[in-house]
Amino acid sequence: QRKQRAARVFDYADFQRIWLHVWSQEQYMFSEKEVSWLLNKPYTHQSTWQDWKKISELDIHPFEKISLFDTLHYLPYNLLYKMDIASMASALEVRVPYLDHHLVEFALNVPLQFKIQGQEQKFLMKKTLEKYLPNELIYRKKWGFPAPVGDWLQQDLAYLIDKYLNEKRLKKQGLFEPNMVQNFVNLFQQGKYYHYKRVWALIVFQMWYAHYIDPNL
């Protein structure tokens, strides 16, 4: 599956916009081509493209461009946004010490060779932490903490697929191409696990649409 997913990186619609395509595939989300198929009309991530275009014109290393984009967009509009919603819903006050402005200003001015050496990222931070933590913790494989949505959709929440992504509902709504939606569902159910975010995104949209736009759908 890793090779199949990697192959999708090369299925881009426009080489000039390949960075957006790679980013969408890394996030397990829809590419511009896939959104066009879903909507049955041309589509581009226009705002994201404009944001990236400004950064891409800066005279800095490509790695620094990607890092800057993440800092200005992915961090506040995705990671911190979701963390704020989840924590507030549980009456928690979350703090992010790595975003202390003194530390951020320092990190932005650290030369790239101290951030990445070979395949090792966060090099300076890891070398600093060697004084305080065992190497098996510092240099272990990166391990995030995503919700197991794919597992849920294969088990307890599988009914949501039939409820919100069935052909009758999609045709009545008239927003998405039913065959394309079913294609994503089939790929996921046939073992292409990395499609779970696409299926989940469609379900969440349908739930929102039914609640706020058309309760009778």
Side-chain angles (χ1 to χ4, degrees):
Q1 287 202 31
R2 181 174 296 179
K3 292 180 179 178
Q4 291 175 338
R5 180 174 159 242
R8 298 177 65 86
V9 170
F10 299 97
D11 188 24
Y12 53 86
D14 181 353
F15 184 76
Q16 296 298 318
R17 303 164 66 84
I18 190 172
W19 181 86
L20 278 180
H21 175 75
V22 173
W23 186 81
S24 70
Q25 298 310 290
E26 177 63 25
Q27 297 300 315
Y28 291 17
M29 292 304 294
F30 298 107
S31 67
E32 290 181 322
K33 183 185 289 187
E34 289 170 334
V35 176
S36 297
W37 291 340
L38 275 172
L39 300 178
N40 200 21
K41 61 182 179 181
Y43 172 83
T44 58
H45 297 308
Q46 194 60 38
S47 61
T48 308
W49 166 246
Q50 291 300 328
D51 292 336
W52 170 249
K53 191 171 184 296
K54 294 176 184 177
I55 292 175
S56 69
E57 293 171 351
L58 297 176
D59 186 23
I60 56 178
H61 192 279
F63 286 166
E64 293 176 306
K65 293 178 182 180
I66 294 172
S67 179
L68 181 59
F69 181 88
D70 280 351
T71 301
L72 296 178
H73 299 282
Y74 183 56
L75 184 63
Y77 301 128
N78 187 303
L79 300 181
L80 294 178
Y81 177 74
K82 290 189 292 187
M83 180 62 73
D84 186 59
I85 291 175
S87 61
M88 290 296 100
S90 302
L92 294 175
E93 285 288 345
V94 175
R95 294 293 178 263
V96 280
Y98 280 127
L99 293 184
D100 176 89
H101 74 94
H102 297 295
L103 183 58
V104 172
E105 290 166 6
F106 170 77
L108 289 174
N109 287 282
V110 170
L112 184 61
Q113 64 265 30
F114 294 117
K115 297 178 182 178
I116 302 176
Q117 288 203 4
Q119 297 295 313
E120 199 65 63
Q121 301 181 34
K122 304 176 184 175
F123 179 77
L124 181 60
M125 183 182 75
K126 291 177 179 178
K127 294 300 290 184
T128 302
L129 289 175
E130 286 180 359
K131 302 177 183 178
Y132 310 102
L133 297 172
N135 282 359
E136 55 265 29
L137 289 180
I138 299 171
Y139 294 100
R140 69 182 181 181
K141 183 179 179 181
K142 185 175 181 180
W143 187 3
F145 46 93
V149 176
D151 294 337
W152 293 342
L153 288 176
Q154 291 176 328
Q155 300 168 24
D156 295 347
L157 299 184
Y159 74 94
L160 293 176
I161 295 176
D162 294 329
K163 180 177 180 179
Y164 288 104
L165 302 183
N166 64 77
E167 183 178 9
K168 181 179 179 181
R169 185 188 190 95
L170 292 169
K171 284 185 174 180
K172 182 179 179 181
Q173 184 185 38
L175 292 178
F176 303 119
E177 184 62 41
N179 290 337
M180 281 306 305
V181 173
Q182 189 59 50
N183 179 60
F184 288 123
V185 170
N186 289 343
L187 289 171
F188 171 68
Q189 293 178 335
Q190 291 167 6
K192 304 296 192 298
Y193 187 83
Y194 53 87
H195 282 281
Y196 81 90
K197 270 195 177 180
R198 294 170 172 85
V199 175
W200 181 244
L202 288 167
I203 290 173
V204 171
F205 176 85
Q206 293 294 71
M207 294 174 72
W208 171 85
Y209 191 92
H211 186 79
Y212 291 104
I213 306 299
D214 189 355
N216 298 316
L217 185 64

